[in-house]
Amino acid sequence: MAKDKKNDVKNLSYDEMVAKRNELKKQYMDLRFQSVLGHVENPMQKRAIRKDIARLNTLIHMQDLEKFRAAAREAISAKN
């Protein structure tokens, strides 16, 4: 993923990131099946897709944690 693509991914909404991750997972599985059959033009593409999936997983997890922390803050403030 190029540097400008990294910034584009960071600007996506949560749902868009999840959809993009699912799309990349499907592409990765297709590449894996193609590699088993021996028809992969660029074997390094699998590595790039895995890294993109990991990057999206990190961003999704960060947003999940923010939602959890916000809910915890609200629960604590509601008790007081």
Side-chain angles (χ1 to χ4, degrees):
M1 196 179 272
K3 191 170 190 173
D4 58 346
K5 272 187 153 182
K6 288 181 190 177
N7 290 333
D8 289 344
V9 171
K10 288 182 182 180
N11 294 331
L12 294 176
S13 71
Y14 181 83
D15 293 333
E16 290 170 333
M17 280 193 265
V18 172
K20 180 75 172 169
R21 179 186 62 182
N22 292 338
E23 176 186 325
L24 286 172
K25 281 184 177 183
K26 184 179 179 330
Q27 285 180 9
Y28 181 72
M29 290 302 295
D30 290 343
L31 277 175
R32 284 187 60 204
F33 289 132
Q34 288 174 6
S35 68
V36 169
L37 297 175
H39 299 291
V40 177
E41 293 179 15
N42 184 4
M44 295 301 289
Q45 190 177 8
K46 280 177 34 178
R47 180 186 293 178
I49 290 176
R50 277 197 322 262
K51 287 183 178 185
D52 291 344
I53 291 169
R55 186 174 293 115
L56 283 167
N57 281 336
T58 300
L59 294 171
I60 289 168
H61 183 69
M62 287 171 54
Q63 286 193 5
D64 285 341
L65 287 176
E66 274 302 313
K67 290 177 187 176
F68 176 75
R69 288 179 182 138
R73 277 187 231 117
E74 285 181 24
I76 290 171
S77 66
K79 285 183 180 179
N80 294 336

